[in-house]
Amino acid sequence: MQEVQPTDRIEEPEESAESSEGETQEAPATGQRGKRSNAEDTTSGQAAKGRRPVTSKERPRLLLRYRDELKPQMMEEFSYANVMETPQIQKVVINVGLGEALTNARAMEAALNDIGMITGQHPVTTKARRSVASFKLREGQPIGVMATLRGDRMYIFLDKLFNTALPRIRDFRGVSRSAFDGRGNYSLGIREQIVFPEIDYNKIDKLRGFQVNIITSAKTDQEATRLLELMGMPFTRIQEREAVNA
């Protein structure tokens, strides 16, 4: 009888050992990959947290009306060859002079608060450029408040001025047509800040006025007048002005 030689059974455990070693080698690799993926997720999460959320911003209605309706109408009336020739409002400057701030320290704080509520942005303090002995004024002393509006805040302020604030003035019959400077810029004086709905009459210390300067890109006063008129500026009627002059 032939003797049955035992098979190489030792190879099987070697293969299993090799496979187990491969698994043990792959396991830390997968663990490292998992750690890397977790680290990437955390970094991406931190980057997402650092970024500002993208929100749909609603544009001012006066700006949309200007782009959709007023711009084509101005081009048709004045026969502009290029769209860029159409006049537009560049900025609005609000200025408050506070001579009483020399003696009343609270006047400056009250004016800053009022203009900030009306415009929606923090105004800056204007200081004296030179000393005037007769007015007891020193160089660098705060004597006023100023705010410059551009972009969406400018259109929101103008919309509020045309449709809400000016009609609330007592015995209002329209603003003057002759307040232009010859270069398409318009100056308007407001006597009381309480015509704006943001100002509470019970919380103010004094009635204060301020100056509103509307800076446009119009070349002539006629173009600037038509632009503001289309936007809703309540100018005086021409017939009433002629009757007053007569």
Side-chain angles (χ1 to χ4, degrees), residues 189-234:
I190 304 295
R191 294 183 178 180
E192 298 176 350
Q193 77 273 33
I194 58 175
V195 295
F196 287 88
E198 294 87 357
I199 304 300
D200 188 2
Y201 181 77
N202 298 322
K203 294 182 180 180
I204 62 174
D205 60 339
K206 183 182 178 181
L207 293 176
R208 292 187 180 86
F210 54 89
Q211 189 79 12
V212 179
N213 299 319
I214 303 175
I215 313 300
T216 69
S217 61
K219 298 178 181 178
T220 62
D221 291 346
Q222 182 182 1
E223 295 177 2
T225 303
R226 187 55 179 162
L227 173 63
L228 295 179
E229 192 174 10
L230 291 175
M231 282 190 168
M233 175 73 86

Side-chain angles (χ1 to χ4, degrees), residues 2 4 17 31-32 74 101 103 126 137 175 184 193 215 234:
Q2 271 186 348
V4 179
Q32 290 178 358
M74 289 284 293
T103 57
T126 56
L137 183 64
V175 297
Q193 77 273 33
I215 313 300

